[in-house]
Amino acid sequence: MSREYVLERAAHAFPGAIDYAAELNEQQLAAVTASPGPLLVIAGAGSGKTRTLTYRVAYLLENGIDARNILLLTFTNKAARQMLDRVANLLPVDAGGIWGGTFHSIGNRMLRRHGSALGYSSGFTIMDREDQKDLIATVVASAGIDPKEIRFPKADVLADIFSFVVNTEQPMEELLAEKFPYFLPLLEPIKDVHARYERKKKATNSMDFDDLLEKTLRMLREHEHIAQWYRRQFQFVLVDEYQDTNKIQADFIDTLAAEHKNVMVVGDDAQSIYSWRGANFQNILEFPKRYPTAQVFKIELNYRSVPEILGVANSAIAANVRQFRKNLTAVRESRGFRPALLALNDGSEQAQFVAQRILELRDEGVELNDIAVLYRAHYHAVELQLELSRRGIPYQITSGIRFFEQAHIKDVAAFIRVVANPRDEVAFKRMVRLLPGIGGKSAESLWNAWEKSLAANGEVTSWSERLSNLNVSTRSRKMWEQLAATLEEMAPDGTPNPPSEMITSVVEAIYDDYAKANFTNYEIRREDLNQLAAFARQFNDVQEFLSQLALISNVDAEAAPNAGADNEAVNLSSVHQAKGLEFHTVFVIWLTDGMFPSSRSLETRDAIEEERRLFYVAITRARDELYLSYPHMRLNAGYGDVFQRPSRFLKDIPAELMEEWQIKRNEFSPANRPDRRI
């Protein structure tokens, strides 16, 4: 029988170095100084989550825990470095022995040491996204898949599908049914490509980004001696932003903590908003079930927002059933300004209000950088981008590039440009390159033939007749005929239809299938295109529509230099992209059912509750002023003006917590003049 011998720790290595009671509030102190064992820290928005985690690391070191026995998992390497730098400033100790970083960086370190157990050498290559796409494309070609027969997903989309399978630990068929239902008929060839891709990576001693976690977890599960080695080393595991972890990340944590169970996870269930990219809300919600002896701490003292904003935030999230209930309280004193609630006629009036109020705030001394307009989806900001551009208010898009500069918007616009001006070389080449089998060289050849046709025969009266005379490959012939029919539909007898109808024709006949195969976020892009069609309803003349697009793009291009890091610019952002940020003033726009919450979320309680958490995140980005607005009417591509109901989330907030603003028009107000610029 073996004898157990216990090594005692050198306790209190730095006695009295930190006065924790003086540095932390009572709630933070309780979490930081908690006894070993599983700990769940629910840290509300603006409550000092990072401070709590940093001081916990310092507390462990001060109580004799060797730095090498601490694992700190974060979602960015920068966050880990910042925390460890703060620890080093708190204690006279080299914290370099701590393993701190992202899940994937930690997995990489483990695999470099022990990856041979899975048949990989320590010099394995980590592929970036472009390398991954190239390898998948090679595998698709070797699988004998004929793109002429089926619209097979492109390598970028396949990479996303494979990534979801890894991170959610779902079978392929379940994943496709949930997120990519239009690819279900291709289930077997996609599974075959996935298997070939895995074999190819192994043969070339290569890993993609997801392998750094998936292969590490497999190594720990299949090789107990390696798992035991790391369990002995990492006697304390600390995890930041735990609400954002996916299934495989939670399993990785549980595997490492299986023996000692000294795992501290910090997060806010009310800010779990990333299920669409694989985050699993169950991880934080069911932590006490997986660790029955877990101590649960709530940190509810908010250092960011005024009490009036926190009152709205607490009410907004209260309706969620599945949550750790908490009540944020403010450290800051009241400014006597209740959040504003505004009902506007339509999106255009909403944009005018936001722009005018931004100008007033700027006059009051609030910097543009400290103002944010938040929305549920990128296309919600179309009218606002137009209004800010017209008024010369610089802005920057945190949630992506400007609406009219997005690839799918420019793709569809190219068809309309060709109909309006058959001599538009750039638009013609962009349009034909969207068809299967047509690349840069083919597009050039087709353009040369098309240009000669125009020179010989003048203006186009029959698109079908003209295009049928151009030579295309057998692979492209079917879609080429579809292109001719679509252009004919867009401009029967050479007379262009209204722009909105032309957009619908392009999307339904050609671009929808292209988008499914080429974009991982197909549904979002389809919503953008629906919004483009709705925007185009303002124009009956195609030239007027295209001129307006060009003018908007040129104004934006001129304004862009003013929106750099060294200049002031209003922040336009989706709520997802704004998480973790804060601003003096926040406008949350398009708070109507179907917009926020989104129409896709209205079918299940879980989806609605995540949308409500997203609304909560939007509210808690504001420090001093908050404006919540909803238009009564919305332009719709197929139905004209559509009446909008206020978001159901607004009903959860007691009327006395907000101030309702009545909007009146004064055409002679200088602040309402569109030529007032910054």
Side-chain angles (χ1 to χ4, degrees):
M1 179 181 292
S2 62
R3 176 183 297 186
E4 187 176 88
Y5 184 83
V6 179
L7 290 176
E8 300 292 342
R9 298 189 182 279
H12 303 291
F14 315 104
I18 302 174
D19 185 347
Y20 292 95
E23 296 290 331
L24 305 167
N25 64 44
E26 289 185 9
Q27 295 171 339
Q28 293 170 337
L29 180 64
V32 166
T33 60
S35 57
L39 309 174
L40 171 61
V41 181
I42 303 297
S47 66
K49 167 184 64 66
T50 302
R51 186 178 185 84
T52 302
L53 205 52
T54 300
Y55 274 80
R56 175 64 175 181
V57 173
Y59 182 78
L60 292 174
L61 293 172
E62 194 171 2
N63 281 273
I65 303 301
D66 193 305
R68 293 168 297 181
N69 296 139
I70 299 174
L71 172 63
L72 175 62
L73 292 166
T74 61
F75 274 84
T76 67
N77 287 315
K78 180 181 178 182
R81 285 195 303 270
Q82 288 177 340
M83 277 190 246
L84 296 180
D85 287 345
R86 291 183 191 181
V87 170
N89 290 329
L90 292 173
L91 291 173
V93 61
D94 179 10
I98 295 175
W99 279 43
T102 65
F103 289 86
H104 296 89
S105 67
I106 298 301
N108 178 50
R109 290 180 68 176
M110 292 182 179
L111 288 169
R112 295 293 180 191
R113 287 182 168 190
H114 300 104
S116 58
L118 298 179
Y120 287 86
S121 75
S122 61
F124 63 81
T125 298
I126 301 174
M127 297 184 292
D128 62 20
R129 185 70 169 194
E130 287 303 312
D131 295 335
Q132 185 183 16
K133 286 164 55 179
D134 289 345
L135 189 61
I136 291 174
T138 300
V139 168
V140 170
S142 69
I145 294 171
D146 187 356
K148 289 184 293 185
E149 300 296 327
I150 55 176
R151 175 73 87 167
F152 202 70
K154 294 296 188 290
D156 206 21
V157 178
L158 287 170
D160 247 40
I161 291 173
F162 300 162
S163 180
F164 273 115
V165 167
V166 168
N167 288 297
T168 62
E169 298 183 340
Q170 282 182 283
M172 180 74 74
E173 48 268 41
E174 289 182 16
L175 188 278
L176 291 184
E178 180 182 325
K179 301 191 74 69
F180 304 90
Y182 37 87
F183 288 140
L184 269 175
L186 303 174
L187 172 62
E188 291 307 318
I190 290 175
K191 288 174 70 174
D192 178 56
V193 168
H194 190 206
R196 290 169 179 265
Y197 173 60
E198 288 298 317
R199 292 196 295 270
K200 192 73 170 178
K201 286 187 295 182
K202 185 72 172 290
T204 58
N205 199 39
S206 302
M207 294 193 192
D208 59 34
F209 191 65
D210 294 309
D211 286 326
L212 298 179
L213 193 50
E214 189 270 333
K215 297 292 188 291
T216 304
L217 183 58
R218 182 151 65 87
M219 177 181 71
L220 295 175
R221 286 172 167 170
E222 294 177 0
H223 301 276
E224 183 61 23
H225 68 287
I226 298 176
Q228 283 293 342
W229 195 91
Y230 283 109
R231 284 171 188 153
R232 284 196 298 270
Q233 177 175 352
F234 300 136
Q235 296 174 22
F236 286 84
V237 178
L238 299 93
V239 187
D240 190 20
E241 300 286 8
Y242 188 68
Q243 79 281 344
D244 293 335
T245 54
N246 56 39
K247 181 68 167 63
I248 196 171
Q249 288 166 336
D251 287 349
F252 177 67
I253 295 164
D254 292 347
T255 299
L256 289 176
E259 186 174 314
H260 52 72
K261 297 189 179 355
N262 290 328
V263 55
M264 178 189 208
V265 299
V266 181
D268 183 5
D269 60 298
Q271 296 186 69
S272 179
I273 58 174
Y274 294 117
S275 66
W276 53 275
R277 68 183 189 195
N280 192 332
F281 181 61
Q282 303 293 339
N283 292 346
I284 191 167
L285 197 67
E286 297 186 353
F287 186 86
K289 291 183 181 178
R290 297 204 314 280
Y291 294 89
T293 62
Q295 302 177 68
V296 180
F297 299 89
K298 294 180 183 179
I299 305 178
E300 302 167 295
L301 204 58
N302 178 284
Y303 292 88
R304 176 185 301 157
S305 307
V306 293
E308 290 83 359
I309 290 174
L310 295 185
V312 170
N314 288 329
S315 298
I317 198 64
N320 270 10
V321 175
R322 306 180 72 210
Q323 64 167 308
F324 293 101
R325 297 201 174 273
K326 57 184 174 298
N327 188 66
L328 295 181
T329 56
V331 172
R332 296 180 59 195
E333 295 182 358
S334 169
R335 296 178 68 246
F337 182 92
R338 283 183 293 165
L341 178 65
L342 300 101
L344 292 310
N345 287 333
D346 53 27
S348 178
E349 187 172 89
Q350 177 177 245
Q352 291 172 37
F353 164 75
V354 172
Q356 179 175 320
R357 186 68 190 121
I358 287 172
L359 291 172
E360 293 168 351
L361 287 164
R362 183 67 179 84
D363 290 344
E364 294 167 14
V366 181
E367 294 187 358
L368 295 183
N369 293 336
D370 217 7
I371 300 172
V373 184
L374 306 183
Y375 36 80
R376 175 64 182 84
H378 195 40
Y379 71 87
H380 294 178
V382 174
E383 295 98 341
L384 182 61
Q385 290 186 45
L386 295 176
E387 189 66 25
L388 295 177
S389 296
R390 288 169 183 152
R391 297 195 185 213
I393 301 174
Y395 64 92
Q396 56 188 358
I397 307 289
T398 307
S399 56
I401 59 178
R402 295 163 188 252
F403 182 82
F404 294 105
E405 296 172 2
Q406 298 177 101
H408 52 295
I409 301 297
K410 296 177 75 173
D411 285 345
V412 171
F415 290 78
I416 301 173
R417 287 170 55 187
V418 169
V419 168
N421 175 19
R423 290 179 170 81
D424 188 331
E425 179 179 355
V426 173
F428 182 91
K429 289 179 178 177
R430 185 178 191 117
M431 176 182 72
V432 299
R433 282 200 303 268
L434 297 172
L435 306 184
I438 298 180
K441 289 183 179 180
S442 298
E444 182 69 31
S445 299
L446 288 168
W447 167 252
N448 290 333
W450 177 252
E451 192 174 31
K452 289 177 182 177
S453 170
L454 290 177
N457 301 303
E459 296 302 318
V460 177
T461 55
S462 171
W463 290 95
S464 296
E465 183 179 334
R466 284 291 185 88
L467 290 176
S468 64
N469 293 326
L470 274 61
N471 292 322
V472 295
S473 66
T474 304
R475 176 183 176 188
S476 307
R477 175 55 58 183
K478 183 177 180 181
M479 282 304 298
W480 189 256
E481 293 171 355
Q482 180 63 64
L483 171 63
T486 302
L487 292 173
E488 199 73 57
E489 181 181 299
M490 293 168 67
D493 300 322
T495 303
N497 284 334
S500 183
E501 294 180 18
M502 296 170 77
I503 292 168
T504 301
S505 295
V506 173
V507 172
E508 291 182 352
I510 294 177
Y511 202 75
D512 197 55
D513 284 341
Y514 173 86
K516 287 176 181 176
N518 285 273
F519 299 126
T520 58
N521 57 347
Y522 157 74
E523 290 182 340
I524 293 174
R525 291 180 189 253
R526 182 59 196 262
E527 286 180 344
D528 285 347
L529 294 171
N530 290 342
Q531 181 62 29
L532 180 67
F535 170 77
R537 287 189 66 254
Q538 303 171 63
F539 309 93
N540 287 320
D541 180 73
V542 65
Q543 296 293 354
E544 184 186 359
F545 170 69
L546 292 173
S547 296
Q548 186 67 22
L549 290 189
L551 289 171
I552 293 166
S553 297
N554 285 333
V555 170
D556 283 352
E558 292 170 4
N562 298 324
D566 298 329
N567 298 281
E568 282 193 77
V570 175
N571 301 279
L572 307 188
S573 176
S574 69
V575 184
H576 285 106
Q577 292 290 333
K579 184 175 175 292
L581 305 177
E582 59 181 71
F583 307 91
H584 176 280
T585 299
V586 168
F587 297 85
V588 186
I589 62 174
W590 278 112
L591 283 165
T592 63
D593 265 8
M595 300 285 270
F596 200 165
S598 73
S599 57
R600 295 196 306 273
S601 70
L602 301 179
E603 297 178 0
T604 67
R605 187 188 72 179
D606 285 351
I608 281 291
E609 293 209 344
E610 177 156 338
E611 291 285 301
R612 188 175 283 111
R613 295 195 294 270
L614 193 63
F615 181 45
Y616 173 84
V617 168
I619 293 169
T620 53
R621 299 311 94 199
R623 296 196 305 268
D624 296 272
E625 295 189 25
L626 175 67
Y627 298 85
L628 308 176
S629 64
Y630 62 94
H632 286 302
M633 305 297 294
R634 175 192 172 200
L635 273 175
N636 186 284
Y639 307 101
D641 292 338
V642 177
F643 181 75
Q644 300 284 288
R645 285 189 172 87
S647 171
R648 63 191 66 193
F649 299 155
L650 294 174
K651 299 174 185 176
D652 298 329
I653 305 171
E656 62 270 17
L657 296 182
M658 297 183 289
E659 183 177 34
E660 191 169 350
W661 287 28
Q662 299 295 330
I663 301 299
K664 295 183 178 180
R665 281 191 171 273
N666 179 2
E667 299 298 338
F668 299 100
S669 169
N672 203 35
R673 283 166 40 197
D675 60 344
R676 186 180 183 213
R677 303 170 72 89
I678 288 182

